[in-house]
Amino acid sequence: MGYPQIEHHGAKDGVTGSCHQLDMNATASLLVDCGLFQGNDASIPSGEGGSRLLIDFPLNTIKALVVTHVHIDHVGRIPYLLAAGFEGPILCSEASAKLLPIVLEDAFKLSFSRDQQRIERYIDIVESRLVTLPYQHWFTLVDTEELNARIRLQRAGHIIGSAYVEIDLDYPQAGESKRIVFSGDLGAPHAPFLMPPQPPERADILVLESTYGDRLHEDRQTRRQRLEAVIEQALQDQGTVLIPAFSIGRTQELLYELEEIIHTRSVGASSLANVLPSETVPASVGASSPASSTTDRPPLPTETRVTPTLPTEERAAPILPLPSEKRANSDHRPLPSGERAGVRGREAMPENEITAESAEVRGQPAGDTPSTNWPKLPIILDSPLASRFTAAYRELKPFWNQEARDRVQSGRRPLAFEQLITIDSHSDHQRIVNHLTQTARPAIVIAGGGMCSGGRIVNYLKAMLGDKRHNVLFVGYQAKGTPGHAIQTYGPKGGYVNLDGERFDIRAGISSIGGYSAHADQNGLVDFVTGMQQWPTEIRAVHGEQEAKQTLADRLYAEYEQRNRPLLEIVSAG
C-alpha cells in the first residue's frame, strides 16, 4: 500500500515554519500547522525570505488544517493559505480557538493590511472556519468505503492550548490500519499553568520535534530560584533588566514566577516587621523611615492608571492603599503612563494623584551594598500583544493546572499583581525607554520580540546595549540568524549586533536561563517515545538543526537496542 505518505512543507531543514501534509489516500489529506519561517530558516533555499511565504503545494486534497498551537512559527502562514484558496475547516483545541484570532489578526496586520474593515472581515472568516476539539475526543474526518480517518488532540504542555495530534487511519478494503502521531511542540514538566504531556498509547509513525534533541535543560524545578538570583545580580549593576519574551506562553510564565518571588519576599518582609521594632526593619524588606526612602535617582514620568473590571476571583485580594504623592521627604514622581495591572476596582484617578511608591526600588543608606526590594520593584510589560494574551490567559483558568488555580482561590493574582505595569501606546513606550536609558533606574522590563528581530524590545536594546549598567536576560530559544542569537553568542565576548541595519556594541550584561525553554529537552523527547506501550517503528525528526536531529536519533537508536524493541527507522525530514 502506498499510503499514508507525509510531505514536509516546513520545519524540515530548520526549526521554524512548521507545515506537514499527511496524504491519507489519493483524494484526502490533512495539513498539520502552517507556520512562518524565522531567522536563517527564512532564507532557505533561495536567499529571499519572501519566497518562503508562498503556498507552493496543491490544496485540492486537503480536507482540514489542524493547528497544534498558536505560536507564529506554526500558524503564521495561515493568511497565505487562505489567500491561496484553502476553504476547509481549521481544527484546534478549545483554548487555541480563543488565542488564534488574536495571533492571526497581528499576522494579517504585519503581512497584508492595517485597514480595520479588512482585518475584521478576515478574522470573521477565520472564526467561521474554527472547529474546536476537546482533548481526548475523537473527531471523524473521513468516512468512506476506502478510508476511515479520525483525529484526536492530547495535551502537549508547550503553551496553553497546545496539543499533539493522533490520527487513526483504517483502510477497510485493504484490511490495514495505521496510527500517526504529530508531536507539534512538546513541553517540559513543571511549567506554570500547564499539565505536562502524557505519551500516547502507541504510534506506528511519529513525526517528532527535535529542537533540543542535542541538549538537556537546567533543572526546571529550581528555575524560579535561578531567575531570582540572576535578576538580583543584574540589579546590583544599578540598571534595568531587559527580558525579550514571546507574547504567548513565555511572558505569562515569567509573570507567574515573578509574582511568586514578590509574594515570597512580601511574606518574609511582613514576618520580619512583626518581630523587629519598625525602626530596625531594613529598607529592602519593609517600610523605611523618610531618611532611608530617599534616592538620588531622577523622578519618573507621570503615570496614568486604567482600571478595567476583572472577574470576582481576580479582585479577591485586598487592594493596597495608594500613598500620597505629597509625602514628606519624597521626591519620587509617578511611573510612566500605563495600566497598573494589580490595581483593580477603582475609578480612574487623575495622574497627579498617583504615585510610584507602591512600585519603587528604595535607595540604600550611603555605604551599604544595594539590595533589591522586590515588593517595590516595577515589573513593566511593554507589549500590547502580550497584554492581550495575558488577559486571554486569565479567562482560560479552566485549562490551568491545579497549582495555578489554587493561587487564585487563595486570593492571589498571578497575572495581575500590584507591581505589574502594562504599557500600551507607542508614545508611552518611547517615554519609558528614554527615561530608563537616562536614569538606569532598577526595573524589570518584559518586552515583545522574543528573538529580538522585531517588537518593542528592539528599541530598548538600541538604547541600552551599550551601557554596562543594564542587563539582558534570555529565557527562550534564539534561532540562528536572529539578533537574539547574536546577542546571546557575542554579547559575553564584548561583541556587537546589527539591529535594523545599524551596528550596536554590546556592553550590557548578558545572561540566559535554559530552564525556561517551553520545549522538551532530549530526555523529554526520549521519554515521550519510550513512554508509549507500542513504540513507533518509524520516526521522522523535524523542527531541529541537523546536529540536534542526529544526536537525538543516536540516543533513540541506543534506547531501542537496549530494550530489544523492533527495528527502528529514523528519518531526518531535511
Side-chain angles (χ1 to χ4, degrees):
M1 181 182 68
Y3 294 98
Q5 298 176 358
I6 300 175
E7 303 174 69
H8 302 284
H9 305 304
K12 62 180 180 179
D13 43 25
V15 176
T16 63
S18 179
C19 189
H20 316 282
Q21 185 172 352
L22 174 65
D23 296 314
M24 299 177 287
N25 64 15
T27 60
S29 65
L30 175 69
L31 198 63
V32 180
D33 289 336
C34 194
L36 199 66
F37 294 97
Q38 297 174 292
N40 285 351
D41 297 347
S43 61
I44 301 172
S46 65
E48 297 181 3
S51 66
R52 303 210 85 184
L53 295 173
L54 300 177
I55 303 300
D56 57 359
F57 49 89
L59 308 178
N60 58 304
T61 67
I62 299 176
K63 299 299 182 182
L65 164 68
V66 59
V67 170
T68 63
H69 66 285
V70 300
H71 274 152
I72 199 70
D73 63 322
H74 287 254
V75 301
R77 276 189 287 165
I78 289 179
Y80 297 89
L81 183 69
L82 298 181
F86 174 71
E87 297 181 347
I90 301 173
L91 314 178
C92 64
S93 72
E94 295 168 290
S96 289
K98 185 173 185 63
L99 300 172
L100 185 60
I102 303 174
V103 177
L104 293 184
E105 177 184 337
D106 188 64
F108 190 85
K109 288 178 181 178
L110 293 174
S111 302
F112 288 93
S113 172
R114 291 187 173 271
D115 179 82
Q116 192 59 35
Q117 288 188 334
R118 290 191 64 190
I119 293 170
E120 290 175 2
R121 287 197 301 269
Y122 166 69
I123 294 302
D124 286 343
I125 292 172
V126 170
E127 291 180 336
S128 70
R129 303 278 186 86
L130 290 177
V131 176
T132 60
L133 304 181
Y135 291 121
Q136 302 180 4
H137 173 78
W138 284 107
F139 175 82
T140 299
L141 188 63
V142 179
D143 188 8
T144 67
E145 294 181 355
E146 299 173 349
L147 171 67
N148 179 271
R150 57 180 191 158
I151 75 169
R152 179 169 66 177
L153 302 183
Q154 302 279 27
R155 296 179 187 273
H158 179 61
I159 63 170
I160 201 163
S162 61
Y164 65 83
V165 186
E166 295 179 291
I167 305 156
D168 272 1
L169 302 179
D170 289 318
Y171 301 89
Q173 295 176 345
E176 297 184 16
S177 63
K178 291 282 186 181
R179 175 170 288 186
I180 298 93
V181 174
F182 288 83
S183 73
D185 284 351
L186 296 173
H190 312 296
F193 302 108
L194 305 174
M195 287 171 267
Q198 298 296 323
E201 179 185 358
R202 63 183 180 88
D204 296 301
I205 302 171
L206 171 63
V207 180
L208 179 65
E209 71 130 318
S210 59
T211 308
Y212 287 106
D214 59 346
R215 70 195 76 175
L216 302 177
H217 293 325
E218 299 175 53
D219 179 14
R220 292 172 64 90
Q221 295 187 59
T222 59
R223 71 182 190 175
R224 181 180 65 80
Q225 288 85 351
R226 293 198 309 280
L227 174 68
E228 183 175 357
V230 168
I231 292 177
E232 281 275 10
Q233 182 60 49
L235 290 173
Q236 300 310 308
D237 296 336
Q238 294 294 283
T240 298
V241 178
L242 303 177
I243 306 179
F246 299 95
S247 297
I248 317 168
R250 203 67 47 79
T251 291
Q252 292 74 35
E253 289 190 12
L254 280 168
L255 295 178
Y256 183 92
E257 299 215 316
L258 288 169
E259 188 274 343
E260 172 65 13
I261 295 171
I262 292 167
H263 173 77
T264 302
R265 292 297 189 97
S266 298
V267 170
S270 299
S271 299
L272 187 57
N274 290 333
V275 173
L276 299 175
S278 60
E279 64 269 18
T280 65
V281 178
S284 62
V285 293
S288 61
S289 66
S292 63
S293 65
T294 58
T295 178
D296 57 359
R297 299 192 181 281
L300 287 166
T302 302
E303 175 191 11
T304 301
R305 279 204 182 111
V306 181
T307 56
T309 302
L310 282 181
T312 303
E313 61 269 25
E314 287 290 346
R315 294 184 280 111
I319 302 298
L320 299 178
L322 296 175
S324 169
E325 187 180 11
K326 298 179 181 180
R327 178 178 176 178
N329 297 321
S330 175
D331 61 356
H332 291 299
R333 293 284 301 282
L335 284 162
S337 297
E339 172 190 332
R340 181 66 59 75
V343 179
R344 306 295 184 182
R346 298 176 181 270
E347 296 297 324
M349 303 174 69
E351 58 185 37
N352 286 339
E353 295 181 10
I354 302 170
T355 74
E357 288 292 327
S358 60
E360 289 176 351
V361 178
R362 299 179 186 272
Q364 305 296 314
D368 284 4
T369 301
S371 178
T372 304
N373 189 351
W374 280 88
K376 304 296 183 182
L377 180 69
I379 313 296
I380 300 167
L381 177 57
D382 193 351
S383 169
L385 188 59
S387 296
R388 290 183 67 186
F389 286 122
T390 301
Y393 259 62
R394 291 200 295 265
E395 296 174 11
L396 291 169
K397 289 189 186 70
F399 299 95
W400 292 12
N401 62 21
Q402 191 60 49
E403 177 191 83
R405 294 199 299 270
D406 287 346
R407 287 194 185 182
V408 173
Q409 289 298 318
S410 71
R412 289 167 59 183
R413 295 168 290 175
L415 296 178
F417 48 92
E418 173 69 16
Q419 291 78 9
L420 179 61
I421 299 165
T422 59
I423 303 298
D424 189 8
S425 74
H426 184 68
S427 61
D428 290 338
H429 158 71
Q430 289 177 315
R431 290 174 63 220
I432 198 166
V433 171
N434 292 338
H435 178 77
L436 293 176
T437 301
Q438 293 165 9
T439 66
R441 174 189 172 88
I444 298 173
V445 175
I446 303 170
M451 295 187 189
C452 307
S453 54
R456 292 185 173 180
I457 190 63
V458 175
N459 290 333
Y460 285 99
L461 293 171
K462 289 178 178 179
M464 298 184 181
L465 273 179
D467 187 338
K468 65 181 181 180
R469 293 175 297 178
H470 302 299
N471 284 264
V472 181
L473 174 60
F474 289 103
V475 294
Y477 179 78
Q478 303 299 310
K480 289 183 178 179
T482 62
H485 184 269
I487 294 169
Q488 191 178 50
T489 302
Y490 303 111
K493 306 172 185 177
Y496 67 90
V497 63
N498 289 313
L499 298 170
D500 294 336
E502 185 178 353
R503 171 175 167 160
F504 292 86
D505 292 331
I506 305 172
R507 298 188 183 91
I510 309 297
S511 302
S512 300
I513 300 180
Y516 273 87
S517 173
H519 288 265
D521 64 5
Q522 185 188 91
N523 283 342
L525 296 171
V526 171
D527 288 346
F528 186 76
V529 176
T530 60
M532 300 183 197
Q533 295 180 25
Q534 177 186 319
W535 292 13
T537 54
E538 179 183 338
I539 295 178
R540 288 174 169 257
V542 295
H543 297 275
E545 306 293 344
Q546 190 56 43
E547 182 179 352
K549 292 179 183 177
Q550 187 58 54
T551 303
L552 179 61
D554 292 342
R555 171 82 184 274
L556 287 169
Y557 278 129
E559 293 285 339
Y560 271 68
E561 182 177 359
Q562 181 179 352
R563 304 197 196 183
N564 296 315
R565 292 287 178 161
L567 183 64
L568 169 70
E569 179 184 11
I570 300 179
V571 179
S572 176

